Amino acid sequence: MLKPKLGLLELARQFGNVSQACQIMGCSRDTFYRYKELYEQGGEAALYEISRKKPVIKNRVPEAVEQATVRIAVEFPVYGQLRAANDLRKEGIIISPGGVRSVWQRHDLETFKKRLKALEAKVAQEGLILTESQLAALEKARQEKEAHGEIETEHPGYLGSQDTCYVGAIKGVGRIYQQTFIDTYSRVATAKLYTDKSAITAADLLNDKVVPFFDEQGIRLQRILTDRGTEYSADKLGKPEDHAYQLYLAVEDIDHSRTKANHPQTNGICERFHKTLQDECYSLLFRKKLYYSLEELQVDLDAWLEKYNRERPHSGRYCYGKTPWETFQQSRYLALGKDLSPGGDQSDNTTLQLSAVR
């Protein structure tokens, strides 16, 4: 860097003592005199020249090998450097795994995510037809995005996020849990309180509040994102048909996506909502009033949710300063314009290709 070199020279001039300046800057006297000589001969430009990292072109692989290494990164984005080097060797192109990584770094392709972005850009620019491996890579990336909270949503009802939140305990009632549902497009939220967390209560929220709401709006809820808790997943409890929540989703024909294992915090939309709920609702309610039943608390929760949905502006994606309810109403046409009946023209059948083009 240029500034430390100039700082060393200036410090020596101010102190009038080279040894003291070198001790403060952590360098040797030989280094100081080398910088001083360069500065006297060519000024700052001479110091700047030794600050730049110059590529050693003669040490790079031939251009044909470099282009082949870039090509395989786009054609097979799931390949690591070892597998890419092995496949190139089969084509008669000799390059080490370390060499593959060096080439990918020069072209900003060293990670799986970057290679996928390059593939999407190439498809968008050149209109390529994706191979099976490329489609599989894009599908894997889509699932990873859902698992880490990077949610792709197209309209109200396209994807809902559901989660369980522990509220607290009331004397005479016991522990209180909240089932939360949020439409990921409009951010319209609903919640219901229970005295336990189970598949029955998770399904009850959908049956009592969520599905009737979407039916009233003439929109079908297509899929739900949850964590891997036992109230949502049948993995640890046997067959899906023996699990109340899974059975309800099957009856209502709602798809189910789950966050990555051991990462419950990745259901980001609900996590942020629960923090807002705690700060702006429960922390105030419990200071002002003593509750003796679940029904009393539910009434006040519903009143807060009404204000949250209809009066509280949101600055996030799709809302842009509107309330969740305004966003929902103004974007209903996106869902109503799709034929979601069995056999209808559903965009889900072409999700991979459209995602690639986007």
Side-chain angles (χ1 to χ4, degrees):
M1 296 178 63
L2 180 60
K3 286 185 178 180
K5 298 176 178 62
L6 292 173
L8 174 63
L9 298 177
E10 178 63 21
L11 203 60
R13 186 187 66 80
Q14 291 180 2
F15 288 163
N17 189 317
V18 174
S19 297
Q20 188 177 359
C22 290
Q23 186 177 4
I24 293 174
M25 297 298 291
C27 63
S28 67
R29 289 170 57 89
D30 288 341
T31 300
F32 168 80
Y33 286 115
R34 182 162 57 91
Y35 291 165
K36 184 174 182 294
E37 183 181 359
L38 287 170
Y39 185 77
E40 291 173 349
Q41 292 176 354
E44 291 186 12
L47 292 177
Y48 181 70
E49 283 297 321
I50 67 171
S51 299
R52 291 192 299 176
K53 184 179 179 181
K54 297 181 180 179
V56 183
I57 304 299
K58 65 180 181 180
N59 289 341
R60 290 185 177 180
V61 297
E63 182 64 23
V65 176
E66 181 142 348
Q67 292 302 320
T69 308
V70 171
R71 170 181 54 80
I72 201 169
V74 177
E75 290 183 356
F76 303 98
V78 297
Y79 281 12
Q81 58 198 44
L82 181 61
R83 191 173 178 185
N86 186 59
D87 273 31
L88 288 171
R89 187 179 295 272
K90 294 177 182 178
E91 299 177 16
I93 299 173
I94 308 301
I95 184 173
S96 68
V100 170
R101 179 167 179 78
S102 296
V103 172
W104 285 355
Q105 284 180 324
R106 283 199 292 274
H107 293 270
D108 203 25
L109 297 169
E110 69 273 16
T111 65
F112 174 60
K113 182 180 290 188
K114 291 180 178 181
R115 294 194 289 275
L116 277 180
K117 287 183 178 179
L119 172 61
E120 292 176 352
K122 196 173 183 64
V123 169
Q125 294 169 7
E126 302 179 13
L128 301 178
I129 298 176
L130 299 176
T131 64
E132 288 297 324
S133 62
Q134 290 170 334
L135 285 172
L138 290 172
E139 170 64 9
K140 179 181 178 182
R142 184 185 67 81
Q143 292 174 353
E144 285 291 319
K145 285 182 179 180
E146 286 188 357
H148 288 84
E150 300 176 34
I151 298 171
E152 294 293 336
T153 181
E154 298 180 2
H155 55 73
Y158 184 87
L159 176 67
S161 181
Q162 186 174 355
D163 198 11
T164 306
C165 172
Y166 174 66
V167 176
I170 296 179
K171 186 176 181 180
V173 177
R175 296 169 69 88
I176 299 176
Y177 296 91
Q178 174 183 298
Q179 284 291 333
T180 304
F181 176 90
I182 302 176
D183 178 65
T184 59
Y185 189 94
S186 65
R187 297 302 197 266
V188 169
T190 188
K192 189 174 180 181
L193 301 173
Y194 301 92
T195 54
D196 68 334
K197 51 181 295 188
S198 65
I200 296 292
T201 58
D204 180 73
L205 172 70
L206 299 182
N207 185 62
D208 185 47
K209 290 180 174 290
V210 177
V211 172
F213 168 76
F214 282 101
D215 287 344
E216 289 175 4
Q217 302 300 320
I219 298 173
R220 184 175 76 82
L221 177 61
Q222 294 182 244
R223 57 178 60 80
I224 285 181
L225 173 69
T226 70
D227 59 26
R228 293 175 178 265
T230 55
E231 67 268 40
Y232 303 120
S233 174
D235 290 348
K236 300 178 182 179
L237 299 178
K239 299 179 181 179
E241 56 266 25
D242 298 329
H243 192 275
Y245 186 79
Q246 295 285 331
L247 182 60
Y248 184 82
L249 294 182
V251 170
E252 293 292 337
D253 192 26
I254 300 173
D255 294 333
H256 188 198
S257 298
R258 291 173 295 178
T259 56
K260 189 175 181 180
N262 302 320
H263 288 71
Q265 72 276 14
T266 55
N267 198 349
I269 291 180
C270 281
E271 292 292 331
R272 289 190 293 272
F273 174 77
H274 287 158
K275 188 176 187 306
T276 300
L277 188 67
Q278 180 62 39
D279 294 342
E280 301 182 13
C281 178
Y282 288 131
S283 62
L284 299 178
L285 292 178
F286 288 140
R287 287 193 183 100
K288 294 179 179 179
K289 184 177 179 181
L290 292 175
Y291 291 93
Y292 299 96
S293 70
L294 203 64
E295 290 71 22
E296 289 181 74
L297 184 56
Q298 182 69 56
V299 170
D300 288 344
L301 173 61
D302 290 340
W304 184 86
L305 286 170
E306 183 73 10
K307 292 182 179 179
Y308 177 87
N309 288 325
R310 297 178 181 268
E311 299 178 15
R312 191 179 189 274
H314 282 232
S315 59
R317 190 178 182 186
Y318 305 119
C319 289
Y320 302 112
K322 301 187 293 291
T323 66
W325 182 247
E326 289 174 337
T327 305
F328 188 96
Q329 291 299 318
Q330 293 176 16
S331 56
R332 282 179 68 227
Y333 74 95
L334 296 173
L336 296 174
K338 296 174 63 177
D339 180 9
L340 300 177
S341 59
D345 182 19
Q346 301 185 34
S347 66
D348 296 344
N349 298 329
T350 56
T351 297
L352 295 178
Q353 196 70 34
L354 290 177
S355 297
V357 172
R358 287 199 298 270

